[in-house]
Amino acid sequence: NAGVTQTPKFQVLKTGQSMTLQCAQDMNHNSMYWYRQDPGMGLRLIYYSASEGTTDKGEVPNGYNVSRLNKREFSLRLESAAPSQTSVYFCASRGVLGQPQHFGDGTRLSIL
Amino acid sequence: DQQVKQNSPSLSVQEGRISILNCDYTNSMFDYFLWYKKYPAEGPTFLISISSIKDKNEDGRFTVFLNKSAKHLSLHIVPSQPGDSAVYFCAAIYGGATNKLIFGTGTLLAVQP
């Protein structure tokens, strides 16, 4: 029972490089989310997808793009990485309304 | 502006005693509140929730209290166990069906044996 799987777990990039973070869930959930966690900031929503085929901006979308590839997969892309995007990124999914979000174990991204 | 605040970055309690974690919020339109627990190098895991129409919800050792007039909620853990040592995040839901979460900054709980 994998739940929400994120790849890679760790990544180091140079400024200006591009990168796609992958997320897949096996719970047949409709909604998926991308968050970033920074020290002293809690988790902040970057983008979300309420259902397959739809995506919307969250609180901190600048510098990111997303793709809801199918019901299972929701990817986050950094087109030109910046040091300010150094963070831990979490993907989450949710089933029907009223159920809590389930999180993956995160991707630790460092941009030099 | 932080809409969900956890003003205590850390808390230390003795095993067997009560742990009380606090959370304040500013937006009266939040209609659901959740607590998540996070161990190092893992994602947050759901612990307990409460609807804004209730003032208490209990699940085993965990109880969440909501005081809407004060815009304050708290998580009580009784009795505390060493395995409870983790970061606890308070979160609030807004956006209806989209279920967007606003997180607090977290409180690191250390339960001493």
PDB file of all heavy atoms in Angstrom, chain B residues 12-36:
ATOM      1  N   SER B  12       8.137  20.649  25.657  1.00  0.00           N
ATOM      2  CA  SER B  12       8.715  19.457  26.252  1.00  0.00           C
ATOM      3  C   SER B  12       7.859  19.018  27.431  1.00  0.00           C
ATOM      4  O   SER B  12       7.526  19.833  28.287  1.00  0.00           O
ATOM      5  CB  SER B  12      10.151  19.727  26.725  1.00  0.00           C
ATOM      6  OG  SER B  12      10.717  18.564  27.275  1.00  0.00           O
ATOM      7  N   VAL B  13       7.468  17.727  27.444  1.00  0.00           N
ATOM      8  CA  VAL B  13       6.649  17.201  28.546  1.00  0.00           C
ATOM      9  C   VAL B  13       7.204  15.849  28.968  1.00  0.00           C
ATOM     10  O   VAL B  13       7.935  15.195  28.218  1.00  0.00           O
ATOM     11  CB  VAL B  13       5.171  17.061  28.145  1.00  0.00           C
ATOM     12  CG1 VAL B  13       4.578  18.397  27.771  1.00  0.00           C
ATOM     13  CG2 VAL B  13       5.011  16.063  27.028  1.00  0.00           C
ATOM     14  N   GLN B  14       6.850  15.444  30.166  1.00  0.00           N
ATOM     15  CA  GLN B  14       7.247  14.145  30.680  1.00  0.00           C
ATOM     16  C   GLN B  14       6.273  13.072  30.211  1.00  0.00           C
ATOM     17  O   GLN B  14       5.073  13.313  30.070  1.00  0.00           O
ATOM     18  CB  GLN B  14       7.270  14.156  32.204  1.00  0.00           C
ATOM     19  CG  GLN B  14       8.388  14.987  32.823  1.00  0.00           C
ATOM     20  CD  GLN B  14       9.754  14.416  32.509  1.00  0.00           C
ATOM     21  OE1 GLN B  14      10.583  15.072  31.896  1.00  0.00           O
ATOM     22  NE2 GLN B  14       9.979  13.179  32.943  1.00  0.00           N
ATOM     23  N   GLU B  15       6.821  11.905  29.972  1.00  0.00           N
ATOM     24  CA  GLU B  15       5.989  10.750  29.612  1.00  0.00           C
ATOM     25  C   GLU B  15       4.886  10.560  30.643  1.00  0.00           C
ATOM     26  O   GLU B  15       5.116  10.664  31.846  1.00  0.00           O
ATOM     27  CB  GLU B  15       6.859   9.495  29.539  1.00  0.00           C
ATOM     28  CG  GLU B  15       6.108   8.240  29.147  1.00  0.00           C
ATOM     29  CD  GLU B  15       7.022   7.032  29.042  1.00  0.00           C
ATOM     30  OE1 GLU B  15       8.226   7.154  29.359  1.00  0.00           O
ATOM     31  OE2 GLU B  15       6.531   5.954  28.634  1.00  0.00           O
ATOM     32  N   GLY B  16       3.669  10.301  30.156  1.00  0.00           N
ATOM     33  CA  GLY B  16       2.535  10.082  31.039  1.00  0.00           C
ATOM     34  C   GLY B  16       1.746  11.339  31.367  1.00  0.00           C
ATOM     35  O   GLY B  16       0.602  11.240  31.819  1.00  0.00           O
ATOM     36  N   ARG B  17       2.353  12.501  31.156  1.00  0.00           N
ATOM     37  CA  ARG B  17       1.646  13.755  31.446  1.00  0.00           C
ATOM     38  C   ARG B  17       0.866  14.219  30.216  1.00  0.00           C
ATOM     39  O   ARG B  17       0.927  13.621  29.143  1.00  0.00           O
ATOM     40  CB  ARG B  17       2.663  14.838  31.851  1.00  0.00           C
ATOM     41  CG  ARG B  17       3.571  14.445  33.000  1.00  0.00           C
ATOM     42  CD  ARG B  17       2.811  14.248  34.298  1.00  0.00           C
ATOM     43  NE  ARG B  17       2.289  15.488  34.847  1.00  0.00           N
ATOM     44  CZ  ARG B  17       2.935  16.248  35.730  1.00  0.00           C
ATOM     45  NH1 ARG B  17       4.150  15.907  36.137  1.00  0.00           N
ATOM     46  NH2 ARG B  17       2.389  17.338  36.203  1.00  0.00           N
ATOM     47  N   ILE B  18       0.132  15.297  30.367  1.00  0.00           N
ATOM     48  CA  ILE B  18      -0.653  15.844  29.261  1.00  0.00           C
ATOM     49  C   ILE B  18       0.201  16.780  28.417  1.00  0.00           C
ATOM     50  O   ILE B  18       1.000  17.562  28.940  1.00  0.00           O
ATOM     51  CB  ILE B  18      -1.913  16.574  29.784  1.00  0.00           C
ATOM     52  CG1 ILE B  18      -2.777  17.052  28.627  1.00  0.00           C
ATOM     53  CG2 ILE B  18      -1.513  17.738  30.688  1.00  0.00           C
ATOM     54  CD1 ILE B  18      -4.139  17.586  29.069  1.00  0.00           C
ATOM     55  N   SER B  19       0.047  16.676  27.093  1.00  0.00           N
ATOM     56  CA  SER B  19       0.643  17.643  26.174  1.00  0.00           C
ATOM     57  C   SER B  19      -0.496  18.497  25.623  1.00  0.00           C
ATOM     58  O   SER B  19      -1.522  17.956  25.193  1.00  0.00           O
ATOM     59  CB  SER B  19       1.348  16.949  25.008  1.00  0.00           C
ATOM     60  OG  SER B  19       2.448  16.193  25.440  1.00  0.00           O
ATOM     61  N   ILE B  20      -0.305  19.803  25.629  1.00  0.00           N
ATOM     62  CA  ILE B  20      -1.299  20.719  25.072  1.00  0.00           C
ATOM     63  C   ILE B  20      -0.622  21.585  24.026  1.00  0.00           C
ATOM     64  O   ILE B  20       0.294  22.348  24.331  1.00  0.00           O
ATOM     65  CB  ILE B  20      -1.932  21.605  26.161  1.00  0.00           C
ATOM     66  CG1 ILE B  20      -2.620  20.747  27.217  1.00  0.00           C
ATOM     67  CG2 ILE B  20      -2.940  22.574  25.526  1.00  0.00           C
ATOM     68  CD1 ILE B  20      -3.186  21.521  28.393  1.00  0.00           C
ATOM     69  N   LEU B  21      -1.072  21.432  22.787  1.00  0.00           N
ATOM     70  CA  LEU B  21      -0.534  22.220  21.687  1.00  0.00           C
ATOM     71  C   LEU B  21      -1.607  23.207  21.238  1.00  0.00           C
ATOM     72  O   LEU B  21      -2.764  22.835  21.070  1.00  0.00           O
ATOM     73  CB  LEU B  21      -0.107  21.320  20.525  1.00  0.00           C
ATOM     74  CG  LEU B  21       1.030  20.350  20.866  1.00  0.00           C
ATOM     75  CD1 LEU B  21       0.496  18.963  21.178  1.00  0.00           C
ATOM     76  CD2 LEU B  21       2.020  20.283  19.709  1.00  0.00           C
ATOM     77  N   ASN B  22      -1.202  24.442  21.032  1.00  0.00           N
ATOM     78  CA  ASN B  22      -2.146  25.506  20.751  1.00  0.00           C
ATOM     79  C   ASN B  22      -2.027  26.056  19.339  1.00  0.00           C
ATOM     80  O   ASN B  22      -0.948  26.013  18.731  1.00  0.00           O
ATOM     81  CB  ASN B  22      -1.950  26.648  21.750  1.00  0.00           C
ATOM     82  CG  ASN B  22      -2.310  26.243  23.156  1.00  0.00           C
ATOM     83  OD1 ASN B  22      -3.419  25.778  23.424  1.00  0.00           O
ATOM     84  ND2 ASN B  22      -1.370  26.401  24.077  1.00  0.00           N
ATOM     85  N   CYS B  23      -3.147  26.604  18.875  1.00  0.00           N
ATOM     86  CA  CYS B  23      -3.205  27.137  17.511  1.00  0.00           C
ATOM     87  C   CYS B  23      -4.225  28.276  17.504  1.00  0.00           C
ATOM     88  O   CYS B  23      -5.321  28.130  18.063  1.00  0.00           O
ATOM     89  CB  CYS B  23      -3.622  26.020  16.554  1.00  0.00           C
ATOM     90  SG  CYS B  23      -3.795  26.495  14.835  1.00  0.00           S
ATOM     91  N   ASP B  24      -3.889  29.380  16.886  1.00  0.00           N
ATOM     92  CA  ASP B  24      -4.804  30.510  16.729  1.00  0.00           C
ATOM     93  C   ASP B  24      -5.003  30.804  15.254  1.00  0.00           C
ATOM     94  O   ASP B  24      -4.100  30.579  14.442  1.00  0.00           O
ATOM     95  CB  ASP B  24      -4.231  31.761  17.420  1.00  0.00           C
ATOM     96  CG  ASP B  24      -4.088  31.579  18.903  1.00  0.00           C
ATOM     97  OD1 ASP B  24      -5.122  31.381  19.571  1.00  0.00           O
ATOM     98  OD2 ASP B  24      -2.940  31.604  19.393  1.00  0.00           O
ATOM     99  N   TYR B  25      -6.166  31.302  14.898  1.00  0.00           N
ATOM    100  CA  TYR B  25      -6.430  31.625  13.501  1.00  0.00           C
ATOM    101  C   TYR B  25      -7.127  32.968  13.412  1.00  0.00           C
ATOM    102  O   TYR B  25      -7.689  33.467  14.396  1.00  0.00           O
ATOM    103  CB  TYR B  25      -7.247  30.518  12.824  1.00  0.00           C
ATOM    104  CG  TYR B  25      -8.621  30.285  13.411  1.00  0.00           C
ATOM    105  CD1 TYR B  25      -9.752  30.879  12.875  1.00  0.00           C
ATOM    106  CD2 TYR B  25      -8.779  29.433  14.509  1.00  0.00           C
ATOM    107  CE1 TYR B  25     -11.004  30.655  13.405  1.00  0.00           C
ATOM    108  CE2 TYR B  25     -10.025  29.199  15.051  1.00  0.00           C
ATOM    109  CZ  TYR B  25     -11.140  29.805  14.495  1.00  0.00           C
ATOM    110  OH  TYR B  25     -12.379  29.577  15.024  1.00  0.00           O
ATOM    111  N   THR B  26      -7.079  33.563  12.239  1.00  0.00           N
ATOM    112  CA  THR B  26      -7.638  34.904  12.077  1.00  0.00           C
ATOM    113  C   THR B  26      -8.870  34.938  11.182  1.00  0.00           C
ATOM    114  O   THR B  26      -9.661  35.865  11.273  1.00  0.00           O
ATOM    115  CB  THR B  26      -6.577  35.858  11.489  1.00  0.00           C
ATOM    116  OG1 THR B  26      -6.128  35.342  10.225  1.00  0.00           O
ATOM    117  CG2 THR B  26      -5.384  35.986  12.426  1.00  0.00           C
ATOM    118  N   ASN B  27      -9.047  33.923  10.332  1.00  0.00           N
ATOM    119  CA  ASN B  27     -10.120  33.949   9.343  1.00  0.00           C
ATOM    120  C   ASN B  27     -11.345  33.208   9.873  1.00  0.00           C
ATOM    121  O   ASN B  27     -11.327  31.987  10.027  1.00  0.00           O
ATOM    122  CB  ASN B  27      -9.625  33.294   8.050  1.00  0.00           C
ATOM    123  CG  ASN B  27     -10.589  33.483   6.892  1.00  0.00           C
ATOM    124  OD1 ASN B  27     -11.771  33.747   7.088  1.00  0.00           O
ATOM    125  ND2 ASN B  27     -10.091  33.338   5.685  1.00  0.00           N
ATOM    126  N   SER B  28     -12.417  33.914  10.114  1.00  0.00           N
ATOM    127  CA  SER B  28     -13.621  33.301  10.675  1.00  0.00           C
ATOM    128  C   SER B  28     -14.368  32.444   9.647  1.00  0.00           C
ATOM    129  O   SER B  28     -15.331  31.767   9.986  1.00  0.00           O
ATOM    130  CB  SER B  28     -14.551  34.383  11.211  1.00  0.00           C
ATOM    131  OG  SER B  28     -14.900  35.282  10.178  1.00  0.00           O
ATOM    132  N   MET B  29     -13.916  32.475   8.391  1.00  0.00           N
ATOM    133  CA  MET B  29     -14.560  31.679   7.345  1.00  0.00           C
ATOM    134  C   MET B  29     -14.018  30.257   7.255  1.00  0.00           C
ATOM    135  O   MET B  29     -14.540  29.447   6.497  1.00  0.00           O
ATOM    136  CB  MET B  29     -14.396  32.364   5.986  1.00  0.00           C
ATOM    137  CG  MET B  29     -15.030  33.739   5.903  1.00  0.00           C
ATOM    138  SD  MET B  29     -16.781  33.705   6.307  1.00  0.00           S
ATOM    139  CE  MET B  29     -17.432  32.812   4.907  1.00  0.00           C
ATOM    140  N   PHE B  30     -12.971  29.945   7.996  1.00  0.00           N
ATOM    141  CA  PHE B  30     -12.486  28.567   8.004  1.00  0.00           C
ATOM    142  C   PHE B  30     -13.604  27.657   8.520  1.00  0.00           C
ATOM    143  O   PHE B  30     -14.236  27.967   9.526  1.00  0.00           O
ATOM    144  CB  PHE B  30     -11.277  28.407   8.913  1.00  0.00           C
ATOM    145  CG  PHE B  30     -10.030  29.046   8.373  1.00  0.00           C
ATOM    146  CD1 PHE B  30      -9.134  29.670   9.230  1.00  0.00           C
ATOM    147  CD2 PHE B  30      -9.714  28.996   7.027  1.00  0.00           C
ATOM    148  CE1 PHE B  30      -7.970  30.262   8.761  1.00  0.00           C
ATOM    149  CE2 PHE B  30      -8.557  29.578   6.541  1.00  0.00           C
ATOM    150  CZ  PHE B  30      -7.686  30.210   7.410  1.00  0.00           C
ATOM    151  N   ASP B  31     -13.829  26.531   7.852  1.00  0.00           N
ATOM    152  CA  ASP B  31     -14.933  25.694   8.293  1.00  0.00           C
ATOM    153  C   ASP B  31     -14.500  24.316   8.773  1.00  0.00           C
ATOM    154  O   ASP B  31     -15.349  23.512   9.168  1.00  0.00           O
ATOM    155  CB  ASP B  31     -16.000  25.573   7.201  1.00  0.00           C
ATOM    156  CG  ASP B  31     -15.429  25.137   5.874  1.00  0.00           C
ATOM    157  OD1 ASP B  31     -14.279  24.699   5.842  1.00  0.00           O
ATOM    158  OD2 ASP B  31     -16.150  25.257   4.877  1.00  0.00           O
ATOM    159  N   TYR B  32     -13.188  24.069   8.749  1.00  0.00           N
ATOM    160  CA  TYR B  32     -12.702  22.771   9.222  1.00  0.00           C
ATOM    161  C   TYR B  32     -11.259  22.946   9.658  1.00  0.00           C
ATOM    162  O   TYR B  32     -10.515  23.689   9.006  1.00  0.00           O
ATOM    163  CB  TYR B  32     -12.772  21.740   8.085  1.00  0.00           C
ATOM    164  CG  TYR B  32     -13.368  20.422   8.489  1.00  0.00           C
ATOM    165  CD1 TYR B  32     -14.748  20.231   8.469  1.00  0.00           C
ATOM    166  CD2 TYR B  32     -12.554  19.363   8.874  1.00  0.00           C
ATOM    167  CE1 TYR B  32     -15.295  19.015   8.838  1.00  0.00           C
ATOM    168  CE2 TYR B  32     -13.099  18.151   9.236  1.00  0.00           C
ATOM    169  CZ  TYR B  32     -14.459  17.986   9.219  1.00  0.00           C
ATOM    170  OH  TYR B  32     -15.005  16.786   9.583  1.00  0.00           O
ATOM    171  N   PHE B  33     -10.897  22.269  10.723  1.00  0.00           N
ATOM    172  CA  PHE B  33      -9.533  22.353  11.238  1.00  0.00           C
ATOM    173  C   PHE B  33      -8.969  20.951  11.418  1.00  0.00           C
ATOM    174  O   PHE B  33      -9.698  20.030  11.788  1.00  0.00           O
ATOM    175  CB  PHE B  33      -9.500  23.097  12.583  1.00  0.00           C
ATOM    176  CG  PHE B  33     -10.049  24.496  12.493  1.00  0.00           C
ATOM    177  CD1 PHE B  33     -11.398  24.742  12.716  1.00  0.00           C
ATOM    178  CD2 PHE B  33      -9.219  25.557  12.163  1.00  0.00           C
ATOM    179  CE1 PHE B  33     -11.911  26.014  12.613  1.00  0.00           C
ATOM    180  CE2 PHE B  33      -9.723  26.842  12.060  1.00  0.00           C
ATOM    181  CZ  PHE B  33     -11.074  27.070  12.288  1.00  0.00           C
ATOM    182  N   LEU B  34      -7.668  20.818  11.147  1.00  0.00           N
ATOM    183  CA  LEU B  34      -7.022  19.511  11.236  1.00  0.00           C
ATOM    184  C   LEU B  34      -5.695  19.648  11.971  1.00  0.00           C
ATOM    185  O   LEU B  34      -5.065  20.702  11.971  1.00  0.00           O
ATOM    186  CB  LEU B  34      -6.736  18.943   9.839  1.00  0.00           C
ATOM    187  CG  LEU B  34      -7.901  18.784   8.877  1.00  0.00           C
ATOM    188  CD1 LEU B  34      -8.097  20.058   8.060  1.00  0.00           C
ATOM    189  CD2 LEU B  34      -7.653  17.614   7.935  1.00  0.00           C
ATOM    190  N   TRP B  35      -5.285  18.544  12.562  1.00  0.00           N
ATOM    191  CA  TRP B  35      -3.937  18.430  13.114  1.00  0.00           C
ATOM    192  C   TRP B  35      -3.209  17.327  12.362  1.00  0.00           C
ATOM    193  O   TRP B  35      -3.741  16.239  12.147  1.00  0.00           O
ATOM    194  CB  TRP B  35      -3.969  18.093  14.597  1.00  0.00           C
ATOM    195  CG  TRP B  35      -4.342  19.256  15.472  1.00  0.00           C
ATOM    196  CD1 TRP B  35      -5.589  19.580  15.915  1.00  0.00           C
ATOM    197  CD2 TRP B  35      -3.456  20.243  16.009  1.00  0.00           C
ATOM    198  NE1 TRP B  35      -5.542  20.710  16.688  1.00  0.00           N
ATOM    199  CE2 TRP B  35      -4.240  21.137  16.771  1.00  0.00           C
ATOM    200  CE3 TRP B  35      -2.075  20.464  15.935  1.00  0.00           C
ATOM    201  CZ2 TRP B  35      -3.699  22.228  17.443  1.00  0.00           C
ATOM    202  CZ3 TRP B  35      -1.529  21.544  16.615  1.00  0.00           C
ATOM    203  CH2 TRP B  35      -2.337  22.416  17.360  1.00  0.00           C
ATOM    204  N   TYR B  36      -1.978  17.641  11.965  1.00  0.00           N
ATOM    205  CA  TYR B  36      -1.097  16.679  11.325  1.00  0.00           C
ATOM    206  C   TYR B  36       0.143  16.506  12.189  1.00  0.00           C
ATOM    207  O   TYR B  36       0.599  17.447  12.842  1.00  0.00           O
ATOM    208  CB  TYR B  36      -0.677  17.156   9.931  1.00  0.00           C
ATOM    209  CG  TYR B  36      -1.685  16.934   8.842  1.00  0.00           C
ATOM    210  CD1 TYR B  36      -2.733  17.828   8.630  1.00  0.00           C
ATOM    211  CD2 TYR B  36      -1.597  15.822   8.010  1.00  0.00           C
ATOM    212  CE1 TYR B  36      -3.659  17.618   7.630  1.00  0.00           C
ATOM    213  CE2 TYR B  36      -2.523  15.600   6.992  1.00  0.00           C
ATOM    214  CZ  TYR B  36      -3.543  16.514   6.812  1.00  0.00           C
ATOM    215  OH  TYR B  36      -4.460  16.302   5.809  1.00  0.00           O
TER     216      TYR B  36
END
